[in-house]
Amino acid sequence: MSDQTRHGDTIRILHVDDDGDFAELATEFLEREDSRFDTETATSASEGLSRLADSEFDCVISDYEMPGQNGIEFLRTVRREWSSLPFILFTGKGSETVASDAISAGVTDYLQKSSGAEQYELLANRILNAVKKVQAEQQIRTEQERSEALFDRLSQPAVEVRYVDDVPVVRQVNPAFEDVFGYKSETMIGDSLDTHIVPDTRTDEATAINEYAKSGGSLKSREVTRQTADGPRKFLLQSAAYDDRSGMFAIYTDITDRRERRKELEQVE
């Protein structure tokens, strides 16, 4: 996806068709359909690959029957270098075989040429849908990366679980969790969180917390006892449930030393 599409309205399109006149005509109609379109043309797959190597584009449109590489072969080459770039096969040769090969090669959309200006309106809609889909997926990936970075950098132990048959199965733990609890992430991921850190005397409490999270509830601060590799310790538990209630994030603040100091103070008093 080009910077122009991420930070502006322009959508850069590369139209590859050995019929240069048709490609120019299509460019005229597409840019008339949507002022955001900025279309360049190429008359062969090799020229198209050179353009892709030199510039960033948001979508590729390609004919099927072309000298040298046909549209499917061109698509396979593009996919090796630009796996997520929207690619629309816009061809006069329509058949189930071509469509099947295009899908197998990773085509984004398939559209058969027809007579009349309506085909360009349809093509413009397909381009917009393909570009918006890639943008949305890219935004989700960016947000996930930011969330994972924040999760890993938390100074407090944190764990993410997803409920499977009412069992809180560990999806990930952060480095602080490994340090404080003394358990390696690879020994926990895929297992029940409660099996690893809930003492036998606290199972009812853990079950109640799980039921609360599955109902959509979030804990602001609750004192719990949890088992670490060095023995039981006291924590303040904060939790945030998924919107769909299928899991939660839990953050633990170790208060064992605070409790011990309070006991000592009470004994002195």
Side-chain angles (χ1 to χ4, degrees):
M1 191 67 58
S2 73
D3 289 338
Q4 282 183 296
T5 301
R6 285 194 297 266
H7 303 298
D9 292 332
T10 302
I11 296 175
R12 300 203 65 226
I13 302 165
L14 177 63
H15 189 175
V16 181
D17 196 308
D18 62 314
D19 185 342
D21 292 338
F22 175 81
E24 291 296 338
L25 180 64
T27 293
E28 181 180 340
F29 273 99
L30 285 173
E31 294 183 352
R32 189 183 301 169
E33 284 289 335
D34 198 310
S35 61
R36 291 171 294 178
F37 290 161
D38 177 16
T39 306
E40 292 186 22
T41 62
T43 57
S44 68
S46 58
E47 184 183 355
L49 291 171
S50 296
R51 296 285 184 89
L52 287 171
D54 293 338
S55 302
E56 289 187 88
F57 291 91
D58 300 300
C59 185
V60 175
I61 306 167
S62 176
D63 190 19
Y64 173 71
E65 290 186 323
M66 297 185 295
Q69 283 187 320
N70 64 31
I72 303 298
E73 293 166 341
F74 176 45
L75 168 59
R76 291 194 180 103
T77 305
V78 168
R79 280 287 169 262
R80 286 196 289 269
E81 295 293 331
W82 301 275
S83 59
S84 62
L85 179 63
F87 191 110
I88 298 174
L89 196 65
F90 185 43
T91 174
K93 183 178 178 60
S95 71
E96 292 184 3
T97 301
V98 173
S100 176
D101 289 345
I103 292 170
S104 298
V107 76
T108 306
D109 211 334
Y110 175 89
L111 184 62
Q112 190 170 350
K113 295 176 183 176
S114 62
S115 60
E118 293 81 5
Q119 64 178 324
Y120 303 110
E121 180 181 355
L122 181 58
L123 178 60
N125 288 331
R126 299 286 181 90
I127 293 168
L128 286 174
N129 290 337
V131 171
K132 286 179 181 178
K133 182 175 183 291
V134 170
Q135 286 178 325
E137 291 171 349
Q138 186 179 51
Q139 183 176 357
I140 291 172
R141 284 195 299 270
T142 299
E143 291 174 353
Q144 286 177 336
E145 289 169 359
R146 289 173 179 170
S147 176
E148 290 171 1
L150 177 62
F151 182 84
D152 287 340
R153 292 171 185 169
L154 278 174
S155 59
Q156 297 159 290
V159 59
E160 179 187 6
V161 301
R162 181 175 287 277
Y163 291 107
V164 179
D165 296 330
D166 297 332
V167 175
V169 176
V170 177
R171 297 191 68 187
Q172 60 174 335
V173 301
N174 71 348
F177 188 99
E178 292 182 304
D179 291 341
V180 172
F181 279 82
Y183 304 134
K184 293 297 183 181
S185 61
E186 56 265 26
T187 66
M188 298 189 64
I189 292 175
D191 282 351
S192 165
L193 173 67
D194 294 352
T195 299
H196 287 271
I197 70 171
V198 176
D200 293 339
T201 57
R202 298 282 180 167
T203 55
D204 290 344
E205 173 195 67
T207 298
I209 290 173
N210 290 327
E211 290 295 332
Y212 183 63
K214 286 188 294 179
S215 71
S218 295
L219 297 175
K220 293 183 179 179
S221 182
R222 175 165 178 169
E223 187 173 311
V224 297
T225 299
R226 292 294 179 261
Q227 188 70 34
T228 73
D230 296 325
R233 297 184 71 85
K234 292 286 185 180
F235 295 92
L236 286 180
L237 170 62
Q238 296 172 289
S239 71
Y242 292 179
D243 290 339
D244 64 2
R245 304 178 183 183
S246 64
M248 72 169 181
F249 290 90
I251 300 175
Y252 297 87
T253 302
D254 193 345
I255 60 171
T256 302
D257 293 340
R258 188 191 311 173
R259 289 291 301 272
E260 292 299 329
R261 286 196 298 271
R262 186 184 303 167
K263 285 183 179 180
E264 292 174 0
L265 181 59
E266 289 173 352
Q267 290 172 351
V268 170
E269 292 177 344

